[in-house]
């Protein structure tokens, strides 16, 4: 299992960060690995929302089916990945004083054998960490520019 946890501090209160994070349709604007997102449910927020995300990392392309399984307004959201790569992903917001927010992103992913299985996971983990760190940096820039 590939396990990645990264955090970033944003100079904005949690409600401001959440206002950006909950707009799922905008995630493709700050997530370098998300090429497009198409909702397959009528709802676009909260538990039960399902979206297909065209995901591109280097030469690898896949459709990540994301089912939102937890959603606590202003605090956290979790997805279950149901594509070729399966697992869970979670964003958690923590107020850290002054009008600052720590955003923590955790992913636990299982690779199928044709993506290298456990060996592929080992090589992919540092790549994911670098890409997702950049994603959080772009989220930070978006939130701070807007506030």
């Amino acid at each position: 299992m590939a396990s990645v946890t990264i955090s970033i501090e944003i100079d904005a209160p949690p409600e401001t960060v959440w206002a950006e994070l909950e707009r799922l349709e905008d995630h493709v604007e700050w997530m370098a690995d998300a090429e497009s997102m198409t909702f397959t449910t009528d709802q676009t927020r909260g538990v039960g929302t399902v979206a297909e995300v065209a995901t591109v990392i280097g030469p690898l392309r896949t459709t990540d089916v994301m089912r939102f399984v937890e959603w606590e307004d202003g605090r956290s959201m979790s997805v279950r990945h149901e594509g070729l790569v399966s697992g869970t992903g979670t964003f958690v917001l923590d107020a850290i004083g002054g009008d600052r927010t720590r955003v923590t992103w955790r992913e636990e992913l299982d690779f199928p054998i044709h993506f290298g299985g456990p060996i592929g996971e080992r090589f992919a983990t540092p790549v994911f960490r670098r890409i997702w760190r950049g994603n959080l940096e772009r989220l930070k820039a978006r939130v701070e520019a807007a506030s």
Side-chain angles (χ1 to χ4, degrees):
M1 176 170 291
S3 179
V4 176
T5 301
I6 52 176
S7 295
I8 197 165
E9 293 181 6
I10 298 178
D11 290 324
E15 58 271 13
T16 301
V17 177
W18 182 260
E20 181 67 36
L21 191 61
E22 76 171 343
R23 286 195 305 275
L24 303 176
E25 64 276 8
D26 291 346
H27 283 204
V28 298
E29 295 178 16
W30 54 269
M31 289 187 165
D33 51 324
E35 188 174 78
S36 66
M37 177 182 283
T38 304
F39 292 99
T40 60
T41 53
D42 289 337
Q43 70 186 57
T44 61
R45 308 277 187 280
V47 172
T49 299
V50 179
E52 293 180 351
V53 180
T55 303
V56 179
I57 297 177
L60 301 175
R61 300 177 70 80
T62 188
T63 298
D64 182 12
V65 178
M66 296 191 321
R67 182 175 306 277
F68 286 79
V69 294
E70 293 181 25
W71 188 283
E72 184 181 342
D73 279 333
R75 173 80 172 119
S76 65
M77 64 176 69
S78 295
V79 300
R80 186 171 58 239
H81 299 283
E82 299 177 343
L84 286 175
V85 175
S86 62
T88 60
T90 303
F91 285 106
V92 176
L93 307 184
D94 291 300
I96 54 174
D99 281 340
R100 292 178 55 82
T101 304
R102 179 179 303 109
V103 178
T104 302
W105 184 359
R106 287 186 207 75
E107 292 280 349
E108 301 280 338
L109 301 173
D110 286 315
F111 277 38
I113 197 67
H114 58 278
F115 277 3
I119 295 169
E121 292 165 3
R122 180 177 309 172
F123 287 104
T125 297
V127 173
F128 289 155
R129 184 172 278 111
R130 187 176 70 249
I131 291 169
W132 295 336
R133 164 72 51 202
N135 289 348
L136 286 184
E137 291 287 347
R138 282 183 292 283
L139 173 64
K140 173 183 172 80
R142 280 177 72 91
V143 171
E144 290 178 357
S147 58

